[in-house]
Amino acid sequence: MLNKKYPFDPSLKHHFIIAFGLAIWIFVFLYFTEPLDVSEFQKSEKLIYLPLYGLLGAFCYLVFLPIQNYIHKKNDQNWFVKSEILFFLIFILVSIVIARIFYLYVIVLGEQNPYTLWYHLKTVLIPAFSTILPIIIFGRFAFGKYKIKQTEAQKIEIKGEGNYEGLRLFFKDVVCIQSSDNYVEVFYLSGTELKKSLIRNKLSVLADEFPQLLRTHRSYLINPFHFSQWKTANSKLFVLLSHHIEVPVSRTYQKDVKTVLNSTTI
């Protein structure tokens, strides 16, 4: 359960939107509900201290973003349920510390008998988190789902003749496709790892469906994006692709292949 993938959007822009919304929500909530000693503030004090509470909430959210991005990259651009739980634990801890410092050294500085830490937690901070966390959870989940839809829309689908055959990939992750009797073997990247998958289809069908793939041989289609260098052996021409994949270039396709690949390396 903890290792299950969780919707996540790494866009800093969207996280700043969440932080801004959080700041507005905290201010509005405190201003109109006046929990505890907020009602004791004069109107001018409300307009000073309550926006600061909102800014503190936004700051507590944003301060974790560098750590969040580090965890995301360390997990090969994946985000899991345990990653989301870790985020909220750190957010709550940091928020409690900063809110307590703000209360002691700004709100009640110089006054006698401030709230004890336990009373402050029980009557102010914990109720506040019960209204704040749902906003953050919803915002993060909604942006994560939106990111997934955007990502899926950018993928291509290499279909097979069977009902359940096929691959959904980013075009840039397709390295090459090789014909194998009534099947094609798709070489593609998953993260930094090279993988291959056998699909029942014809190379000619895929060549028509994906004209951005380059025909080098009656048995091969390549993605020009992965071209590395030329190679000649025994008077035959080959192209070297990423991950040391070697693909032959037949005389029939040499002129077109050289034109396309030489233009991509200029």
Side-chain angles (χ1 to χ4, degrees):
M1 177 65 181
L2 292 180
N3 290 321
K4 184 178 179 181
K5 285 189 177 181
Y6 189 86
F8 176 73
D9 184 359
S11 169
L12 288 178
K13 174 185 175 181
H14 291 161
H15 287 292
F16 272 95
I17 291 174
I18 293 173
F20 178 75
L22 180 62
I24 297 297
W25 167 248
I26 291 174
F27 169 75
V28 170
F29 176 79
L30 292 178
Y31 189 87
F32 288 103
T33 62
E34 297 187 339
L36 297 172
D37 55 354
V38 171
S39 59
E40 299 176 10
F41 289 157
Q42 296 179 5
K43 190 171 183 179
S44 59
E45 291 178 319
K46 286 183 180 180
L47 295 177
I48 294 174
Y49 293 125
L50 301 190
L52 287 177
Y53 271 119
L55 291 175
L56 278 177
F59 173 78
C60 292
Y61 180 82
L62 295 174
V63 76
F64 180 63
L65 294 188
I67 303 173
Q68 173 178 272
N69 290 338
Y70 170 78
I71 295 172
H72 187 238
K73 289 179 181 178
K74 188 177 179 181
N75 290 333
D76 294 325
Q77 310 298 319
N78 291 312
W79 193 257
F80 303 99
V81 171
K82 63 182 180 182
S83 308
E84 191 73 358
I85 292 174
L86 178 62
F87 161 77
F88 279 107
L89 289 176
I90 294 177
F91 170 74
I92 291 170
L93 179 62
V94 170
S95 298
I96 288 173
V97 171
I98 293 178
R100 181 64 178 172
I101 292 172
F102 181 74
Y103 170 74
L104 291 175
Y105 295 100
V106 177
I107 301 297
V108 296
L109 181 63
E111 296 185 14
Q112 295 182 348
N113 303 318
Y115 295 149
T116 63
L117 176 58
W118 170 242
Y119 184 81
H120 196 196
L121 278 172
K122 182 176 67 172
T123 59
V124 179
L125 298 180
I126 292 177
F129 281 122
S130 68
T131 64
I132 291 171
L133 291 182
I135 300 297
I136 302 176
I137 291 171
F138 174 78
R140 289 172 64 86
F141 186 82
F143 276 124
K145 280 291 188 180
Y146 175 73
K147 177 66 175 180
I148 289 173
K149 286 185 178 180
Q150 275 193 322
T151 300
E152 288 299 316
Q154 294 170 0
K155 290 183 178 181
I156 63 171
E157 184 174 7
I158 301 176
K159 298 178 181 179
E161 294 179 355
N163 292 332
Y164 301 103
E165 288 184 285
L167 284 172
R168 284 188 62 83
L169 303 165
F170 289 112
F171 177 75
K172 66 181 179 62
D173 289 336
V174 179
V175 180
C176 67
I177 303 176
Q178 179 182 2
S179 176
S180 180
D181 295 326
N182 293 324
Y183 292 81
V184 292
E185 197 165 18
V186 182
F187 294 79
Y188 63 96
L189 299 180
S190 178
T192 58
E193 183 181 356
L194 179 68
K195 293 187 176 182
K196 56 184 178 180
S197 183
L198 199 64
I199 296 175
R200 185 169 50 182
N201 207 331
K202 295 179 181 178
L203 198 69
S204 58
V205 172
L206 297 182
D208 291 337
E209 189 173 354
F210 303 108
Q212 60 269 55
L213 294 174
L214 182 61
R215 190 75 173 256
T216 65
H217 188 276
R218 61 185 178 86
S219 299
Y220 286 92
L221 291 170
I222 70 167
N223 185 345
F225 178 81
H226 291 280
F227 171 69
S228 178
Q229 65 183 67
W230 298 101
K231 178 182 177 180
T232 303
N234 299 323
S235 300
K236 294 182 179 180
L237 184 65
F238 297 85
V239 290
L240 295 182
L241 305 176
S242 58
H243 288 73
H244 309 290
I245 296 178
E246 187 175 297
V247 174
V249 181
S250 64
R251 293 184 182 276
T252 305
Y253 302 103
Q254 273 190 24
K255 183 178 179 181
D256 291 338
V257 171
K258 286 182 178 180
T259 299
V260 173
L261 294 185
N262 286 338
S263 66
T264 61
T265 57
I266 292 176

